[in-house]
Amino acid sequence: MRMLINVPETVVADALRGMAAAHPELTVDIENRVIVRRDAPVAGKVALVSGGGSGHEPLHGGFVGPGMLSAACPGEVFTSPVPDQMVRAAAAVDGGAGVLFVVKNYTGDVLNFDMAAELAEDEGIQVAKVLVNDDVAVTDSLYTAGRRGTGATLFVEKIAGAAADEGRPLEQVEAIARRVNDRSRSFGVALGACTTPAKGSPTFDLPAGELELGIGIHGEPGRERRPMMTSGEIAEAAVDAVLPDLDPSNPVLVLVNGMGATPLLELYGFNAEVQRVLGERGVAVARTLVGNYVTSLDMAGASVTLCEIDEELLGLWDAPVRTPGLRWGM
């Protein structure tokens, strides 16, 4: 095992120490595993809280800041944070206008955020929840009931975060988040497995010359294995898997997301093929984001997320954002 770590047991705490040193605009509670905007709580502003297992960086801690999340709760690698973390985060950022929990559809995350919502409401904090379930590859899996939550999490957190920063009430912010999720679909492909620090070896066996179509962000199996395909062929498979759930007459946001080990040279080349396929299918592209945003440790591969966009959602997407993992307009 060759990793830039000390020991597996401290990998999350060490990363949080490094994050705190690099980003003084954040308050990083290393012991309790909570990352909070330095300006929180903001009186009268809806707060957004999300979280999940570590290993998907910059999701979620890297999306804390103006224009996105108010706080994030990192769990152990590929392991849900616990309700106490979520309640602490909610209490730290509640400015009296309520808190929106953004939850990826994985069983542990769903159960723990549900419990945290009940505990937070017992403390007088108004809570709403939005479940992200955009992955078309698998319905029901080892980790979830229903579709998995993947790349659309970024779209939900960015667009709902902008709505919250505009001062919109909780009901509106929740409705916008649900609208983004309902209009978003994703599909991923693995060219190689990831390696967790605790295991020290690949999470699954992918023979040389093969790829896995429809993988999740924890190394879960996908739809099928095939012999290695070209970038253009993979783009066609991904886009054609996503489009049946969307209205192709609407323009889309495009996220071409790296899974952690795929270099930007390949991701931009893959994006060129995704854009080609969308053009051939008659789909207009409003905005495109390329890079490593919702990762799976050191997995080689990529995912494609499309979101049907309208004028209101596009304005919120374009709104300024300043976080460690995403920033423009400020």
Side-chain angles (χ1 to χ4, degrees), residues 269-305:
F270 182 52
N271 178 57
E273 297 299 331
V274 170
Q275 302 287 329
R276 172 187 63 80
V277 176
L278 289 171
E280 291 174 354
R281 306 298 189 265
V283 179
V285 175
R287 301 286 187 274
T288 301
L289 184 64
V290 178
N292 290 290
Y293 294 101
V294 183
T295 62
S296 184
L297 291 170
D298 60 342
M299 182 184 288
S303 61
V304 176
T305 303

Side-chain angles (χ1 to χ4, degrees), residues 220-297:
E220 311 100 305
R223 285 184 174 181
E224 60 178 311
R225 288 189 179 180
R226 291 187 188 177
M228 188 60 199
M229 301 157 65
T230 67
S231 177
E233 291 168 337
I234 295 170
E236 289 170 358
V239 171
D240 287 343
V242 166
L243 280 184
D245 275 7
L246 300 175
D247 182 347
S249 66
N250 292 326
V252 295
L253 292 176
V254 178
L255 170 62
V256 171
N257 172 68
M259 303 305 294
T262 302
L264 278 171
L265 179 70
E266 295 177 33
L267 290 177
Y268 277 119
F270 182 52
N271 178 57
E273 297 299 331
V274 170
Q275 302 287 329
R276 172 187 63 80
V277 176
L278 289 171
E280 291 174 354
R281 306 298 189 265
V283 179
V285 175
R287 301 286 187 274
T288 301
L289 184 64
V290 178
N292 290 290
Y293 294 101
V294 183
T295 62
S296 184
L297 291 170

Side-chain angles (χ1 to χ4, degrees), residues 10-35:
T10 66
V11 66
V12 175
D14 290 344
L16 291 175
R17 288 194 297 111
M19 189 173 197
H23 297 286
E25 72 275 15
L26 302 177
T27 299
V28 181
D29 184 340
I30 298 167
E31 180 180 356
N32 293 310
R33 305 284 175 92
V34 176
I35 302 165

Side-chain angles (χ1 to χ4, degrees), residues 134 170 176 180-181 208 264 315 321:
D134 55 303
L170 181 59
I176 285 170
V180 173
N181 177 68
L264 278 171
V321 58

Side-chain angles (χ1 to χ4, degrees), residues 67 107 110 142 145 162 282 314:
T107 301
V110 172
L142 179 65
L314 186 60

Side-chain angles (χ1 to χ4, degrees), residues 11-302:
V11 66
V12 175
D14 290 344
L16 291 175
R17 288 194 297 111
M19 189 173 197
H23 297 286
E25 72 275 15
L26 302 177
T27 299
V28 181
D29 184 340
I30 298 167
E31 180 180 356
N32 293 310
R33 305 284 175 92
V34 176
I35 302 165
V36 179
R37 283 173 56 163
R38 180 71 71 177
D39 62 353
V42 178
K45 174 189 172 303
V46 171
L48 266 68
V49 174
S50 193
S54 296
H56 306 304
E57 289 74 21
L59 190 79
H60 293 273
F63 296 147
V64 175
M68 285 192 83
L69 295 177
S70 306
C73 311
E76 292 297 328
V77 173
F78 292 176
T79 302
S80 172
V82 298
D84 283 353
Q85 289 174 260
M86 302 160 186
V87 175
R88 285 193 183 93
V93 299
D94 178 35
V99 176
L100 179 66
F101 283 167
V102 179
V103 188
K104 300 190 304 304
N105 189 30
Y106 293 95
T107 301
D109 290 357
V110 172
L111 292 175
N112 286 341
F113 269 104
D114 283 349
M115 185 179 298
E118 294 178 6
L119 294 172
E121 288 170 348
D122 288 344
E123 295 184 8
I125 301 171
Q126 184 183 5
V127 176
K129 302 187 297 292
V130 170
L131 189 68
V132 182
N133 58 350
D134 55 303
D135 183 11
V136 303
V138 176
T139 299
D140 299 331
S141 70
L142 179 65
Y143 288 84
T144 184
R147 293 195 308 256
R148 301 174 295 208
T150 56
T153 313
L154 182 150
F155 289 158
V156 171
E157 292 177 355
K158 169 63 184 77
I159 293 172
D165 274 15
E166 285 185 353
R168 300 195 193 192
L170 181 59
E171 295 78 11
Q172 288 188 22
V173 176
E174 178 188 3
I176 285 170
R178 292 187 186 279
R179 199 159 107 221
V180 173
N181 177 68
D182 291 345
R183 293 175 171 218
S184 298
R185 296 293 185 270
S186 297
F187 189 86
V189 58
L191 310 180
C194 61
T195 298
T196 62
K199 189 171 187 287
S201 60
T203 53
F204 61 91
D205 176 40
L206 188 58
E210 295 186 5
L211 54 76
E212 182 98 15
L213 290 174
I215 49 86
I217 56 174
H218 303 97
E220 311 100 305
R223 285 184 174 181
E224 60 178 311
R225 288 189 179 180
R226 291 187 188 177
M228 188 60 199
M229 301 157 65
T230 67
S231 177
E233 291 168 337
I234 295 170
E236 289 170 358
V239 171
D240 287 343
V242 166
L243 280 184
D245 275 7
L246 300 175
D247 182 347
S249 66
N250 292 326
V252 295
L253 292 176
V254 178
L255 170 62
V256 171
N257 172 68
M259 303 305 294
T262 302
L264 278 171
L265 179 70
E266 295 177 33
L267 290 177
Y268 277 119
F270 182 52
N271 178 57
E273 297 299 331
V274 170
Q275 302 287 329
R276 172 187 63 80
V277 176
L278 289 171
E280 291 174 354
R281 306 298 189 265
V283 179
V285 175
R287 301 286 187 274
T288 301
L289 184 64
V290 178
N292 290 290
Y293 294 101
V294 183
T295 62
S296 184
L297 291 170
D298 60 342
M299 182 184 288

